[in-house]
Amino acid sequence: MSAIPSHAQGPADTPLLEETIGANLDRAVAAFPDREALVDLATGRRWSYRELDRDVNRVALGLLALGVGRGDRVGIWAPNCAEWFLVQYATARVGAILVTVNPGYRTHELAYVLRQSGIRTVVAARSFKTSDYAAMLAEAAPDCPYLRDILLIGSPEWDALLAAGEAADPGQLTEIGAQLSPTDPINIQYTSGTTGFPKGATLSHRNILNNGYFVGELCHYTEADRICVPVPFYHCFGMVMGNLAATSHGACVVIPAPAFDPAATLAAVAAERCTSLYGVPTMFIAELNDPGFDGYDLSSLRTGIMAGSPCPIEVMKQVVERMGMRDVSICYGMTETSPVSTQTRTDDPLERRVSTVGRVGPHLEVKVVDPVTGATVERGAPGELCTRGYSVMLGYWEEPAKTAEAVDAGGWMHTGDLAVMDEEGYLNITGRIKDMVIRGGENIYPREIEEFLYTHPDIVDAQVIGVPDAKYGEELMAWIRLRPGAEPLTPEALRAFCAGRIAHYKIPRYVHLVDEFPMTVTGKIRKVEMREQAVELLGLHDAAQTRHA
């Protein structure tokens, strides 16, 4: 019997949505005019689908009055708020390309994105946390030749945009909508580059509307669902898996706070009777460890999504048991694929749902290939995960060479992630190709060790990296967060815990106790920064200079 290749195709029984985001929203408004569509808890504002349609159109007509047209780039730079949501749908209605700007950017990064994407109009918060957005925009603007308008939310300019939209002829939107195509570019999202400047993944209506829709289908969303979205809108997790999954099913989006706060998130679920909750693993860990956790009524929760970075099995089990999210789903993907490629299903056995990233999504295709030869490997063998289908981006904005490096001639997006596909098509992500540690010729996947460390009763979170070593090339270092009140964990104590349970070469040589990890604003651990800090902490400068074959 021949070995089965690591290749799988998703079901295609439910057809793709061949419509624009605006047309899809029209259908939801017609079907559910009086159902709640959006709740912004920080400001106490609420919208039914009818009211949402009115305000989206007001913003869309205001943008037209400013001269924004099809294909023009409109930046949005703000934490999660209702205005962000309105601008997302308004730009889609007029065919403008929404450029989502990371709320954590400083002036240098902001200026790069403004210039590289050719942003014409920016909608921004005045400030957020320690960032003075207004001042940074004023500083960056002179070097951005395409920039015409800066609209600060709540400013006279923003109010003027709304007033212009109120006075305009809504018939314009009908005419424009008829000219738009589902394959038009609609969104540029800058992927967080670990080296050099980020790249602008360019996505179409078809890319992100279908991805949001099918993610929602696999969560069994209906108009009765209320989705708590504490993940950032500027990223696909918030604006696609959150907003578009909701509106394509007539469901409601609940914004618990402008930025993630575990207590505010738990309070929102309880007060708004949310049926679904989203988060990256670090968010769920923070919620589960919130001092007031037991005081929140989470009985309304049915489902939710954990994604964004590898999901620890032990955390997933607690989410099911302690939060009541019996149908919780793990999703895997990347910005360049709109984002979701694989997802667990509600009818998957619990063990599959807590230990894999599921199977390929509808209308998509995945394979696992040898990173060197490109040949598809047998099931059970590790390799690089590639994906193909409607979700693959149009390309990196004005960077054809970088696009060609990522998407091959066959249309396959090369993810850079290491994965294993089992006999039934379930996938495990075992790490990043660049995160793999080679210690004395042994290939070590940090994810495997991290999963083991989660079984230690005092460890809340663990991240394993490779650090330079003169003898072995690389050695293992564990960065660990302990439970409050736990005794400090020494390297010797950790080694004793590991001894006899994992191979000796997988036991971390170094242990570093931390309160938090270096992270991107989306909650992804920055292992590159951890490695840089480790060289300083451990005095490994000489080892870092050692050359190895």
Side-chain angles (χ1 to χ4, degrees), residues 70 83 186 199 208 260 300 331 342:
R70 182 178 181 181
E83 285 78 10
I186 202 64
K199 302 182 290 289
I208 60 176
F260 175 65
S300 58
C331 292
T342 73

Side-chain angles (χ1 to χ4, degrees), residues 8-303:
Q9 285 184 287
D13 43 338
T14 302
L16 286 164
L17 299 175
E18 300 294 356
E19 62 188 347
T20 63
I21 290 168
N24 184 262
L25 181 61
D26 287 341
R27 289 203 292 121
V29 171
F32 313 109
D34 299 317
R35 288 205 74 91
E36 206 157 58
L38 178 64
V39 178
D40 184 355
L41 284 173
T43 60
R45 294 176 294 167
R46 296 172 182 270
W47 285 258
S48 67
Y49 268 91
R50 182 185 285 109
E51 292 163 342
L52 180 70
D53 184 53
R54 176 200 67 204
D55 285 358
V56 165
N57 290 348
R58 186 186 296 172
V59 175
L61 290 163
L63 290 170
L64 289 177
L66 272 184
V68 173
R70 182 178 181 181
D72 284 340
R73 274 75 71 205
V74 175
I76 178 79
W77 194 29
N80 286 11
C81 60
E83 285 78 10
W84 207 114
F85 193 104
L86 296 175
V87 169
Q88 176 183 346
Y89 288 84
T91 49
R93 279 224 188 277
V94 302
I97 299 173
L98 183 70
V99 183
T100 54
V101 184
N102 186 325
Y105 274 177
R106 312 308 296 172
T107 308
H108 180 63
E109 298 154 312
L110 169 70
Y112 174 79
V113 166
L114 290 171
R115 286 195 304 269
Q116 204 274 332
S117 62
I119 286 176
R120 182 199 186 285
T121 300
V122 176
V123 177
R126 286 185 183 278
S127 61
F128 177 55
K129 294 184 176 176
T130 59
S131 297
D132 185 339
Y133 288 175
M136 283 192 269
L137 280 163
E139 184 181 337
D143 296 323
C144 300
Y146 300 101
L147 187 60
R148 297 281 181 276
D149 303 291
I150 295 172
L151 307 170
L152 299 177
I153 295 168
S155 71
E157 291 79 11
W158 175 254
D159 292 341
L161 174 110
L162 297 178
E166 187 78 48
D169 174 12
Q172 295 177 78
L173 295 178
T174 307
E175 289 176 24
I176 291 169
Q179 299 165 22
L180 303 180
S181 164
T183 55
D184 288 344
I186 202 64
N187 180 213
I188 298 174
Q189 301 211 12
Y190 281 86
T191 59
S192 46
T194 50
T195 56
F197 283 108
K199 302 182 290 289
T202 307
L203 305 168
S204 67
H205 293 269
R206 191 173 188 265
N207 286 148
I208 60 176
L209 175 59
N210 278 290
N211 206 261
Y213 173 67
F214 281 108
V215 165
E217 285 288 282
L218 293 182
C219 288
H220 300 291
Y221 285 155
T222 72
E223 68 276 13
D225 279 293
R226 298 173 68 79
I227 309 167
C228 183
V229 183
V231 295
F233 283 166
Y234 96 88
H235 188 263
C236 275
F237 199 169
M239 69 169 284
V240 179
M241 298 155 72
N243 300 350
L244 286 169
T247 57
S248 61
H249 290 88
C252 178
V253 169
V254 175
I255 308 172
F260 175 65
D261 174 272
T265 302
L266 293 166
V269 170
E272 295 296 323
R273 307 308 293 153
C274 294
T275 58
S276 178
L277 172 61
Y278 288 5
V280 297
T282 50
M283 291 180 176
F284 283 106
I285 290 169
E287 288 154 11
L288 288 160
N289 286 280
D290 187 83
F293 178 84
D294 292 331
Y296 295 103
D297 177 4
L298 307 181
S299 59
S300 58
L301 283 175
R302 167 183 69 81
T303 188

